[in-house]
Amino acid sequence: MPLTLEHRYAENPDAGPGEYRYVINADWLARYKQVVDWAVEEGLYVDVDLHGDSYMWINHWDGTVSPSSVEYRKFTDTWKQLAVTFANEPQRVCFETDNEPQFASGDADGITKLIALNTVAHEVIRAVPGNEKRMIIFPTLHTNDADQFTAPARDQILGLHDPYILATVHYYSEWVYSANLGRTGFDEKLFDGQNATPRTVADKFAEHVKTNFTDHGIGTVVGEFGLLGYDAADTYLQPGEELKYYEYMNHLAQEGDFALILWDNGSAIDRRSPTYTWKNADMGTMLEASMRGRSSYSTGLDAIYMGAEPTGSVDIPLTLNNNTFAGIAGLAAGVDYTYDQPAATVRLSQAYLRSVYDAHNGYGQAATLTLNFNAGAPWHEYLVKSAVPALGVSATGATGTRTDGITVPINFKGNVVKSAAAVNDAGDPVGPNSGWWKFLQSGTSFKVDPEAGTLKLTKQFFDDSSVSDGNVNLNLTFFDGSGLTVPLAVNGQSVTVRP
């Protein structure tokens, strides 16, 4: 349960021995404790997590271990007050010393400083009766899982000989996949010339946790996990490939004996609902099922694009994860589809595909198939009627500015953008991250609105110094394999679509 205490202190400059110089606002702390108590009453475990203060003021600490240091005194006063406030709580309430610790002085010095802060927090908490066996969570620097950060945390925890200390790291996968910079598949190679995929990167994360913590008897809480694109909006990631990530991360947690905490900025749980339902039902179903065991899914994309009247059957290979296929809801086995058990492959018949294609007017999602299994979450496969996308009739001559961006009408014809890359006349990438990466970030450099039939290149794209006056070609690729180029001209503040 994150709490940020910056701006919630009153300074007592005349504090004597045993008194707090930095006093947490009593009303605010009482309100926070009330919410903790509500969670305890519901049978939940609660992590009292000092969150946000790291980058607000703790990172300014110069490393002086003395009450004369403002940051050190504030940090120790903070944990003294929190330790007293929650001393009588059940052991389901634990303390996390600092969220995502970071220091301006660099990583080597930062590790030394973090060890000192974890040490004093441990001393302060254990000194308060009621907290002798309360779990304390030590973060790694940046809550990063790399060996250079996990090894020092491991050594400190082992050196304290306290079995009630946990470690924490965070995990949001590789950025180009997590935030959708043109890499959308969970089993897609992340970088040219390398074999790493989001799945294999997750494997390395789990291995770091195992070798540095679990193998040494140290429990680990992944205090935040998720995907950055979903944290921004639920339309920025490929839905099925996102679900595969959640399924696999829960599998790794069960295999590796570490705990996951989903970071929810308001995108996951509907907090206005009296029953706190999932905003994305498929996400919630997959997460809940995957906490109990493995789920199955299509090995490929969760969408089948029908760009013309079907002339044959279509196969859907399955990744079963030791489950068994139990059929497709509402479809007749042997008629609408067949199942090859040894190959774990569903084959949709031509007749069925044609009936769906003919029945759907226009473009877009024509049918939703619900594939059921003997365990885990069901899997949805979508049949989409599509054609090659094209610029909207009013696109040529569309205007915008560097300040406001430009909105381009596009006839998506049922298609979904997979990636966007911008190049100048010389063929060089332009836009944010173009010094090392060719694709733009979905939802940041560009935004797609399928219902409105538009794509917007944002101010953030045009603010990048690589976007100079002249021609810019925005090259779009779509999940059906088709592509579209949006020709732009940039002249000072003016941005237009070229003929």
Side-chain angles (χ1 to χ4, degrees):
M1 188 175 294
L3 76 159
T4 302
L5 295 176
E6 178 70 341
H7 309 305
R8 294 189 171 105
Y9 294 99
E11 186 173 0
N12 175 20
D14 299 322
E19 295 181 324
Y20 307 129
R21 183 182 180 99
Y22 297 94
V23 182
I24 302 171
N25 180 280
D27 291 338
W28 189 90
L29 187 55
R31 168 60 175 161
Y32 179 84
K33 184 178 183 301
Q34 181 185 40
V35 179
V36 170
D37 290 340
W38 288 344
V40 169
E41 290 170 6
E42 294 294 329
L44 299 174
Y45 287 81
V46 181
D47 174 2
V48 177
D49 172 23
L50 191 61
H51 197 107
D53 293 272
S54 180
Y55 73 86
M56 291 178 175
W57 57 270
I58 297 174
N59 66 336
H60 300 309
W61 181 45
D62 64 3
T64 302
V65 180
S66 168
S68 63
S69 166
V70 171
E71 292 81 16
Y72 187 80
R73 178 64 183 267
K74 187 184 289 189
F75 185 82
T76 55
D77 278 356
T78 295
W79 277 112
K80 287 176 181 178
Q81 292 170 81
L82 294 176
V84 170
T85 300
F86 297 101
N88 294 323
E89 295 285 348
Q91 297 303 312
R92 292 198 306 274
V93 177
C94 62
F95 294 139
E96 183 172 340
T97 59
D98 188 15
N99 177 76
E100 296 185 350
Q102 53 190 281
F103 297 92
S105 54
D107 288 348
D109 186 58
I111 289 171
T112 301
K113 290 177 177 177
L114 178 59
I115 289 172
L117 292 181
N118 281 338
T119 297
V120 72
H122 179 261
E123 292 173 352
V124 164
I125 293 167
R126 289 288 181 256
V128 176
N131 295 320
E132 294 88 351
K133 294 184 178 181
R134 190 173 304 283
M135 286 291 181
I136 303 174
I137 302 174
F138 280 11
T140 64
L141 191 66
H142 310 297
T143 51
N144 191 300
D145 66 283
D147 289 338
Q148 70 191 85
F149 303 116
T150 49
R154 172 201 66 210
D155 293 343
Q156 180 183 21
I157 294 171
L158 292 175
L160 289 171
H161 304 290
D162 184 338
Y164 302 102
I165 302 177
L166 302 174
T168 187
V169 289
H170 293 174
Y171 189 71
Y172 288 98
S173 189
E174 185 64 44
W175 187 47
V176 296
Y177 164 74
S178 183
N180 190 353
L181 279 79
R183 294 292 189 246
T184 58
F186 187 56
D187 293 293
E188 180 181 6
K189 289 184 179 180
L190 291 164
F191 304 104
D192 295 340
Q194 300 181 21
N195 292 324
T197 68
R199 187 186 298 271
T200 63
V201 171
D203 288 335
K204 288 186 177 180
F205 166 81
E207 182 64 21
H208 290 161
V209 171
K210 178 181 183 298
T211 57
N212 284 301
F213 295 134
T214 311
D215 286 352
H216 297 273
I218 300 170
T220 304
V221 177
V222 182
E224 294 181 20
F225 103 100
L227 290 171
L228 299 173
Y230 185 82
D231 204 28
D234 62 3
T235 58
Y236 290 170
L237 302 172
Q238 206 291 323
E241 300 304 297
E242 179 185 352
L243 295 180
K244 294 175 185 178
Y245 166 81
Y246 295 133
E247 194 279 335
Y248 194 65
M249 285 301 298
N250 274 275
H251 166 64
L252 291 178
Q254 292 168 19
E255 289 279 299
D257 200 24
F258 56 84
L260 293 173
I261 298 177
L262 178 71
W263 181 252
D264 178 15
N265 268 347
S267 301
I269 299 293
D270 185 353
R271 302 176 194 185
R272 296 182 182 275
S273 166
T275 55
Y276 296 99
T277 55
W278 293 96
K279 289 185 176 180
N280 182 326
D282 289 344
M283 174 188 178
T285 299
M286 180 61 82
L287 282 167
E288 291 182 17
S290 299
M291 286 189 284
R292 297 187 294 271
R294 299 221 63 178
S295 291
S296 308
Y297 42 77
S298 63
T299 305
L301 202 63
D302 67 349
I304 296 170
Y305 288 91
M306 300 184 291
E309 187 172 292
T311 58
S313 59
V314 171
D315 288 350
I316 308 174
L318 302 178
T319 297
L320 293 173
N321 294 323
N322 294 321
N323 295 329
T324 57
F325 175 67
I328 303 177
L331 269 62
V335 179
D336 299 323
Y337 71 93
T338 57
Y339 181 61
D340 183 339
Q341 184 172 347
T345 298
V346 170
R347 174 165 290 177
L348 301 177
S349 70
Q350 178 189 356
Y352 171 72
L353 292 169
R354 184 168 180 174
S355 69
V356 171
Y357 186 90
D358 291 343
H360 187 76
N361 294 320
Y363 300 111
Q365 187 174 309
T368 300
L369 308 183
T370 301
L371 280 66
N372 293 313
F373 304 88
N374 69 314
W379 179 256
H380 294 135
E381 192 78 13
Y382 304 99
L383 302 183
V384 182
K385 192 172 180 179
S386 65
V388 176
L391 291 174
V393 293
S394 60
T396 300
T399 62
T401 65
R402 283 181 175 271
T403 301
D404 297 327
I406 185 170
T407 299
V408 181
I410 294 179
N411 188 347
F412 291 104
K413 299 183 180 180
N415 259 294
V416 176
V417 174
K418 181 182 188 297
S419 65
V423 298
N424 58 24
D425 275 340
D428 298 323
V430 297
N433 310 306
S434 58
W436 65 276
W437 192 244
K438 59 185 176 181
F439 295 118
L440 303 178
Q441 183 175 347
S442 176
T444 303
S445 292
F446 72 97
K447 296 182 179 181
V448 177
D449 187 338
E451 292 186 5
T454 60
L455 180 147
K456 181 177 182 177
L457 270 179
T458 66
K459 178 181 184 293
Q460 181 165 336
F461 170 79
F462 291 106
D463 279 348
D464 193 82
S465 60
S466 66
V467 184
S468 56
D469 284 0
N471 293 335
V472 172
N473 290 325
L474 178 65
N475 299 318
L476 305 176
T477 58
F478 297 85
F479 279 105
D480 74 339
S482 62
L484 176 66
T485 295
V486 182
L488 302 169
V490 181
N491 184 12
Q493 274 292 313
S494 174
V495 183
T496 59
V497 177
R498 305 192 321 267

